Amino acid sequence: MNGNTPTILVVEDESSIASFVSLYLKNAGYTVKTAASGSEALAQVAEREPALIVLDLMLPDIDGIEVCRRIRQESDVPILMLTARDEDIDKIIGLEVGADDYLTKPFNPRELVARIKSVLRRATPDRREHDNEEIWHGDLHVDSGRREVKVGDEEIQLAPKEFDLLWELLDHRGLVLTRDQLLERVWGYTFAGDTRTVDVHVRQVRRKLGDASPIVTVWGVGYKVSPAPQSQKEAAAS
Ligand code: CA
């Protein structure tokens, strides 16, 4: 009946916000389901996987972080988290729950729709135009087809946006990319977004890759990739 319009699950216990968001998304052409608690959200996701989930952080039973974590054990469905406070965004990213994007309340509903469109566009199977490319950088090996990152023989788990950010920088070796450019290329924003998102993700990538991280800060400009160092194997052979 709904044809091919993507279904969005809105998880929010405050009914005024839930109905406002639902109305806006319906007007934007989406089919909308709602859930007023974490357990209801998990049940709905299991029953019929939505195209995207808008997930509020503060819920009456299971909080949004835990809901996100449980969904991620089963599914790669895109998740956009809503938070009441700015600091919660650092928390969500720091806890690595695997959300695709974040918005702080109060938000402009047009921005919500823009972000949803962008996340859905990125989540389609042809999300990367450079399928099956591989890049080596010292001991770091990144395979964009498998979306796999290894340091030596050890596989490193990156969240989707962390992977895209790392790939974007490696794919532009020798160039400095500004935070705005990275926002646009990795997150797909066509308007001025929050560039702090870029910094937080860079921090996560560096923490996970340790000494193998190729990302260099260019103060006042943005980020670039360092020249490729010799790998451990090459060093051992020479
Ligand atoms: Ca809430």
Side-chain angles (χ1 to χ4, degrees), residues 11-14 17 56-60 105:
V11 186
E12 168 64 271
D13 57 312
E14 286 165 75
I17 297 180
D56 187 43
L57 185 68
M58 298 293 286
L59 295 168
K105 294 175 179 174

Side-chain angles (χ1 to χ4, degrees), residues 54-224:
V54 176
L55 178 59
D56 187 43
L57 185 68
M58 298 293 286
L59 295 168
D61 53 348
I62 313 166
D63 75 36
I65 287 177
E66 184 56 27
V67 171
C68 187
R69 194 176 274 138
R70 290 196 203 171
I71 291 170
R72 273 290 167 270
Q73 288 167 1
E74 310 284 330
S75 157
D76 285 331
V77 59
I79 298 174
L80 193 155
M81 294 204 71
L82 301 178
T83 77
R85 289 176 308 134
D86 221 24
E87 308 92 76
D88 289 334
I89 290 179
D90 280 347
K91 191 164 116 196
I92 294 167
I93 297 171
L95 288 171
E96 297 172 50
V97 293
D100 292 80
D101 205 350
Y102 325 85
L103 259 186
T104 310
K105 294 175 179 174
F107 51 83
N108 180 334
R110 280 169 46 217
E111 186 174 358
L112 177 68
V113 171
R115 299 251 187 135
I116 286 173
K117 278 186 184 155
S118 153
V119 170
L120 284 175
R121 194 169 58 236
R122 297 274 156 177
T124 52
D126 60 340
R127 54 191 279 156
R128 306 315 293 177
E129 52 279 9
H130 33 63
D131 279 1
N132 303 318
E133 264 190 60
E134 296 173 71
I135 292 179
W136 280 265
H137 187 277
D139 292 316
L140 178 67
H141 174 224
V142 183
D143 184 325
S144 73
R146 296 167 181 265
R147 294 184 70 80
E148 196 176 79
V149 178
K150 282 183 174 176
V151 173
D153 293 327
E154 189 196 352
E155 191 170 345
I156 310 288
Q157 300 295 332
L158 295 187
K161 285 293 176 267
E162 292 166 6
F163 183 94
D164 292 342
L165 177 70
L166 177 63
W167 183 268
E168 201 61 40
L169 285 164
L170 284 169
D171 201 33
H172 292 86
R173 272 162 297 183
L175 293 177
V176 179
L177 296 180
T178 67
R179 290 175 177 79
D180 284 326
Q181 282 173 324
L182 286 166
L183 261 185
E184 195 183 318
R185 288 168 195 218
V186 175
W187 282 265
Y189 298 165
T190 50
F191 50 85
D194 179 3
T195 55
R196 206 185 42 144
T197 301
V198 176
D199 298 331
V200 175
H201 280 77
V202 165
R203 205 153 67 219
Q204 285 296 102
V205 172
R206 282 176 169 157
R207 191 180 60 73
K208 291 180 179 178
L209 297 184
D211 291 341
S213 168
I215 304 176
V216 175
T217 305
V218 183
W219 295 107
V221 187
Y223 296 100
K224 69 173 185 179

